[in-house]
Amino acid sequence: MTAVLTRRPGLARIRTARSPLHLCCVGFVVLVVAGALLAPLVVPYDPNAVDLGNALAGPSAEHLLGVDAAGRDTLSRLLLGARTSLLGPLGVVLFSTVAGIVVGMAAAWRGGWLDSLLSRGTELVFAFPGMLLAILVISTYGEGLSAPVIALAVAYLPYVSRLTRSLVLTERERPYVSAYQVQGHSALQICLRHVLPNIAPVVLAQSTINFGYALMDLAGLSFLGLGVPALTPDWGRMVFDGQTAVQHGYPLSAILPCVLIVLTVVAFNVAGERWADRVARRDR
């Protein structure tokens, strides 16, 4: 009797839902990413060029979105700030996703004491607030992007590892896993070549949602003055720097980065949740 090996459709079978809201969110994400990539080529001014004689000037032909309290061009800082604002969350998501998959897959596949140890460890990290962990790390290693990215990646790891563990436990009960084991395939081969492609769509959907939350957390740290250095263009830092302008009745330099943060977080969350819903409907 010949065993029939069946695999569930992986990434190639996933199609995003074509609702107007989803398409708008995806389009906005593409626009923001394109702006971040092309920023050095299209910025009209040096983002750190100070012109105190033109401070808090409103939109004009020379400065389309006005200038801040230091006379720096708001549009230039928004475009270049997108690079830092997106790079940090990307680092958080990449590290937490890769490490979470490894931890969750090892715990589910090996079981026993290793499962208990890894599960208790992730629960301990899960119980510790991510922002507090980031603040503690920054207070130890100083300002910059690396420290908060590493701290938040550790804080987000349990979300991915717990999801991966539950998915792998389900996959282990499917006939194709037993068939590959009978044929002599190692656990590593089965996990990497067959189990991982099947769980990847759900895990990546969760990581897309995590990206939006990581962006919000890093922007919050920058607003508190604990993120990127003062002269680095960053949306959260721009909100922090714009407090003085708001007090003087010129809120534009603070409102614009706030709007971009909110819209980007919403866009990534909607895209991720729509993707997750699509995967859930496929698996029914």
Side-chain angles (χ1 to χ4, degrees):
M1 180 177 179
T2 303
V4 178
L5 307 183
T6 59
R7 291 182 55 188
R8 297 161 59 207
L11 274 174
R13 296 290 301 276
I14 300 300
R15 296 291 183 269
T16 54
R18 298 183 179 277
S19 70
L21 176 61
H22 178 256
L23 292 177
C24 289
C25 290
V26 171
F28 183 79
V29 169
V30 172
L31 182 63
V32 171
V33 172
L37 293 175
L38 299 176
L41 303 176
V42 299
V43 290
Y45 298 98
D46 180 351
N48 292 320
V50 176
D51 183 9
L52 295 179
N54 199 32
L56 299 178
S60 64
E62 294 183 352
H63 302 280
L64 297 179
L65 298 179
V67 297
D68 62 10
R72 297 172 297 189
D73 183 65
T74 300
L75 177 59
S76 299
R77 292 185 65 79
L78 285 174
L79 288 172
L80 284 173
R83 298 169 67 87
T84 307
S85 300
L86 297 181
L87 183 62
L90 180 61
V92 172
V93 167
L94 286 177
F95 180 84
S96 62
T97 300
V98 173
I101 288 175
V102 172
V103 171
M105 188 170 288
W109 196 267
R110 299 297 299 179
W113 65 269
L114 182 61
D115 184 16
S116 299
L117 178 63
L118 293 177
S119 297
R120 299 297 83 77
T122 53
E123 288 173 2
L124 181 63
V125 175
F126 186 78
F128 201 84
M131 288 287 285
L132 180 58
L133 178 61
I135 292 173
L136 290 176
V137 173
I138 293 170
S139 65
T140 303
Y141 295 99
E143 66 179 8
L145 193 60
S146 300
V149 165
I150 294 173
L152 288 177
V154 172
Y156 278 78
L157 187 151
Y159 295 95
V160 181
S161 64
R162 294 172 69 178
L163 175 62
T164 301
R165 179 182 178 275
S166 65
L167 293 172
V168 174
L169 286 175
T170 301
E171 288 295 313
R172 286 201 64 180
E173 303 301 322
R174 298 189 180 275
Y176 78 87
V177 174
S178 300
Y180 281 119
Q181 289 175 329
V182 169
Q183 291 191 359
H185 291 259
S186 67
L188 184 60
Q189 287 178 321
I190 297 174
C191 287
L192 294 182
R193 294 182 181 180
H194 309 289
V195 174
L196 183 57
N198 286 337
I199 68 172
V202 181
V203 175
L204 292 180
Q206 177 63 50
S207 296
T208 303
I209 298 173
N210 289 346
F211 186 98
Y213 289 123
L215 191 155
M216 188 167 50
D217 287 342
L218 289 172
L221 289 171
S222 295
F223 174 75
L224 295 174
L226 300 174
V228 298
L231 295 180
T232 303
D234 177 83
W235 292 345
R237 189 77 195 190
M238 289 181 67
V239 179
F240 175 80
D241 294 337
Q243 294 178 93
T244 302
V246 173
Q247 294 172 357
H248 289 83
Y250 297 93
L252 194 61
S253 60
I255 288 179
L256 289 177
C258 282
V259 171
L260 282 177
I261 292 170
V262 171
L263 291 179
T264 305
V265 171
V266 170
F268 271 99
N269 284 355
V270 169
E273 290 176 0
R274 186 72 65 175
W275 192 359
D277 291 342
R278 182 68 172 174
V279 173
R281 288 195 297 268
R282 180 209 67 179
D283 290 340
R284 290 188 186 131

